[in-house]
Amino acid sequence: SDARSLACQITRFGDDERLLVIRDITRLQRLEQTRRDFVANVSHELRTPLTVLTGYLETWQDSAADMLPPAMQRGLDRMHEQTDRMQHLVEDLLTLSRLETSDRQRDEHSIDMAALCESLRSDGAALAAGSHGISCEIAEQRRLFGDQQEIHSALSNLVYNAVRYTPEGCHITIRYCRWGEAGAAVEVIDDGEGIAPEHIPRLTERFYRVDKSRSVASGGTGLGLAIVKHVLLRHDAWLEIDSDPGEGACFRCIFPAARMAAPVVVSAADSR
Ligand code: ADP
């Protein structure tokens, strides 16, 4: 009942000297757990009142809006926008809490990445509604083992960000390709305004935004890239971000070789 958690770090000095530092992180871990439980409980408790509020607002907008003076109609619209925002925020907080609970059962299969990338492309095109060009390049045929729903939602965040944070007329490419020692990568590349180097290491922190007002105006919760990072961690994968101001951005999700399935070989007889 009094199990302790220890963190060890070995630092090398010269050829044959080592410094071993052992820290007791039990208290830190308990605090972290308390924070996670608190966020999960609050988010869960907010869900029901928000659903009730949204329900009433929608009913009034559908049935009584025409009878209200314009100022009150605008007020109702604003209230609806804000409750929508809060609902997205609560859902994203609950998603993050679920991802942080490492003992959660995952639903893993081998995923057809070509089909998944194509569905990301068409969802992105629907969101862009003609304002951006979006293409898909498949340079790798192997399937990937993982939780399809989690991977789809992480990659959707990257595509939606590319649409929301680049000006009209930009082009977005979704690319699935081989990476490193037999691993594979999904890249979401845009030719937008790019990101200054000082922001890049902080982008996956919760609520970190380069431009807060732009993120809020575009419906962002500030949790998208934190969700991406956690989904990838749960798949032994990681995110790399390459960008320079004025040069666009590339968000690259790298999956290790252990996650890759053998390519499906289609025989001549099968393809007939
Ligand atoms: P948000 O809900 O604000 O979009 P995210 O965690 O998804 O939160 O993204 C964090 C920040 O990263 C965004 O607010 C935006 O400033 C920046 N960002 C994300 N994707 C891009 C992109 N493709 N180009 C430029 N900036 C981006």
Side-chain angles (χ1 to χ4, degrees), residues 3 10 15 36 51 64 72 77 95 117 124 128 136 170 187 223 235:
I10 301 175
D15 279 341
R36 271 189 225 138
T51 310
M72 283 183 85
D77 290 344
T95 302
C117 290
C136 185
C170 282
E187 296 179 323
L223 295 171
H235 288 83

Side-chain angles (χ1 to χ4, degrees), residues 93-163:
L93 282 169
L94 285 170
T95 302
L96 256 185
S97 301
R98 276 196 294 271
L99 292 170
E100 283 178 330
T101 315
S102 51
D103 53 358
R104 182 186 156 255
Q105 280 250 313
R106 267 183 303 182
D107 186 16
E108 296 216 345
H109 335 257
S110 92
I111 305 168
D112 177 348
M113 292 302 287
L116 190 140
C117 290
E118 178 47 37
S119 90
L120 291 169
R121 190 204 60 75
S122 78
D123 293 349
L127 178 76
S131 62
H132 291 65
I134 307 190
S135 57
C136 185
E137 287 176 19
I138 304 297
E140 168 63 72
Q141 300 308 321
R142 287 174 301 164
R143 297 167 77 104
L144 192 148
F145 282 109
D147 184 315
Q148 173 146 358
Q149 206 198 329
E150 283 187 6
I151 291 184
H152 185 274
S153 96
L155 296 174
S156 292
N157 274 327
L158 299 181
V159 175
Y160 288 0
N161 277 353
V163 173

Side-chain angles (χ1 to χ4, degrees), residues 179 187-190 194-197 200 203 239-245 247-254:
W179 196 263
E187 296 179 323
V188 178
I189 306 161
D190 67 63
I195 305 159
I200 292 178
L203 289 182
L239 178 69
E240 280 182 5
I241 306 170
D242 290 340
S243 183
D244 274 311
E247 301 288 326
C250 170
F251 288 77
R252 183 179 302 116
C253 304
I254 302 175

Side-chain angles (χ1 to χ4, degrees), residues 92 157-166 188-190 192-195 199 202-212 214-216 218-228 243 248-251:
D92 278 359
N157 274 327
L158 299 181
V159 175
Y160 288 0
N161 277 353
V163 173
R164 291 184 301 140
Y165 295 114
T166 56
V188 178
I189 306 161
D190 67 63
E193 290 161 3
I195 305 159
H199 296 295
R202 302 199 56 193
L203 289 182
T204 56
E205 288 174 19
R206 291 177 181 80
F207 301 114
Y208 189 86
R209 284 116 155 185
V210 175
D211 177 347
K212 180 154 190 236
R214 190 164 167 194
S215 158
V216 171
S218 68
T221 61
L223 295 171
L225 292 177
I227 291 175
V228 174
S243 183
C250 170
F251 288 77

